[in-house]
Amino acid sequence: MSTSRTLEVDGLEVELVRGDVRRVNLRVRPDGSVRLSAPSRVPADELARFVRAHRAWVDGCLERNGLRDRAEREHWQDGGALDLLGERVSLRVEPAAGRHTQVERVAGELVVRPHAPRPDGLGKPGLADWRPAGEELRQLLLPWLKDELVKAALPLLERRQEEMGVRCSLLRVRWMSSRWGSCNVRTAAITLNTELALRPLACLDAVVAHELCHLLEPSHVTRFYALMDRWCPGWPEARAVLRESPPMR
């Protein structure tokens, strides 16, 4: 059984999780939190020394995460740009148009006509010219991104299932903060992170293969990676890309 508590080391708050692990491991999550997992037998002072020894690495990760988040948010606005399954498209946000958000892909542009917000009762002018940006725009595009990901994933899923001799019972797509995909080996249902729509197609293919391999081998043991090497030999390169650009928090 694992236990969790907060460990403070020189002003840095670390979530310490003790349990059935073989070695001490330090991780910086995309949301900026720091997690330290360790065997139960390792003394607290030794863990504090471990964190201090890796403090420069932690600070570097936190800085890169902050810079990346700011850069990502700059994409979500009129005149910004997104990478849709590896293809760069520019964003054009037009004035609000009706009760439903309209999204149209025209050549190298993604044209977004957001739904008009409700009047606030204060006589606020210019609602027809409302142009969302940042998180508002990302949320408005979420249903469209889900649809695009499903369209891209289904043929990959079908091909991989035929090759590997397995069958997925259900495909779900949702936004996840720390995982690219998951597989319920009991029900054979697979879930994909919506943000894969904003990564190269090879990354989506590798995640699909990864989750299907779990239907053949539930755990990340040697056999699992042998299956990945067989069915998706380019998976290490795709994993490197996904690790370099983790999900938005």
Side-chain angles (χ1 to χ4, degrees), residues 93-167:
V93 183
E94 297 188 342
R99 298 180 179 179
H100 302 285
T101 297
Q102 302 169 12
V103 183
E104 183 181 9
R105 188 167 178 176
V106 183
E109 273 194 330
L110 195 63
V111 182
V112 184
R113 301 178 185 91
H115 66 80
R118 294 181 179 180
D120 56 11
L122 301 177
K124 181 179 178 181
L127 286 177
D129 294 327
W130 178 66
R131 286 179 170 85
E135 185 60 23
E136 282 186 318
L137 180 58
R138 187 169 75 147
Q139 289 298 323
L140 286 176
L141 277 173
L142 188 57
W144 186 87
L145 289 172
K146 286 183 177 182
D147 289 344
E148 290 299 297
L149 185 62
V150 170
K151 290 176 187 176
L154 285 177
L156 296 175
L157 187 65
E158 189 61 34
R159 176 171 61 84
R160 290 293 183 189
Q161 288 179 135
E162 293 297 326
E163 292 173 347
M164 299 165 66
V166 295
R167 182 59 53 178

Side-chain angles (χ1 to χ4, degrees), residues 22-205:
R22 294 183 179 181
R23 59 179 66 87
V24 179
N25 182 56
L26 188 63
R27 178 188 175 196
V28 179
R29 297 189 179 102
D31 65 0
S33 61
V34 183
R35 186 180 191 272
L36 180 69
S37 55
S40 301
R41 66 180 182 277
V42 181
D45 58 347
E46 184 174 332
L47 294 176
R49 286 196 296 271
F50 183 89
V51 173
R52 290 190 183 99
H54 294 82
R55 182 60 185 266
W57 174 81
V58 171
D59 290 344
C61 289
L62 293 173
E63 182 179 2
R64 286 192 297 274
N65 281 357
L67 291 173
R68 174 181 173 265
D69 285 350
R70 287 194 292 274
E72 284 290 331
R73 291 187 178 97
E74 288 177 358
H75 293 312
W76 298 92
Q77 60 183 337
D78 186 26
L82 300 176
D83 289 314
L84 293 175
L85 297 166
E87 182 179 348
R88 174 69 64 146
V89 297
S90 59
L91 269 175
R92 177 152 56 93
V93 183
E94 297 188 342
R99 298 180 179 179
H100 302 285
T101 297
Q102 302 169 12
V103 183
E104 183 181 9
R105 188 167 178 176
V106 183
E109 273 194 330
L110 195 63
V111 182
V112 184
R113 301 178 185 91
H115 66 80
R118 294 181 179 180
D120 56 11
L122 301 177
K124 181 179 178 181
L127 286 177
D129 294 327
W130 178 66
R131 286 179 170 85
E135 185 60 23
E136 282 186 318
L137 180 58
R138 187 169 75 147
Q139 289 298 323
L140 286 176
L141 277 173
L142 188 57
W144 186 87
L145 289 172
K146 286 183 177 182
D147 289 344
E148 290 299 297
L149 185 62
V150 170
K151 290 176 187 176
L154 285 177
L156 296 175
L157 187 65
E158 189 61 34
R159 176 171 61 84
R160 290 293 183 189
Q161 288 179 135
E162 293 297 326
E163 292 173 347
M164 299 165 66
V166 295
R167 182 59 53 178
C168 163
S169 65
L170 177 66
L171 176 65
R172 299 189 184 98
V173 173
R174 66 182 180 89
W175 207 286
M176 295 185 278
S177 62
S178 60
R179 305 172 73 178
W180 291 110
S182 65
C183 176
N184 185 322
V185 296
R186 182 177 59 84
T187 65
I190 287 176
T191 303
L192 299 176
N193 189 332
T194 307
E195 199 168 339
L196 282 167
L198 304 174
R199 299 296 182 274
L201 188 62
C203 292
L204 172 59
D205 188 31

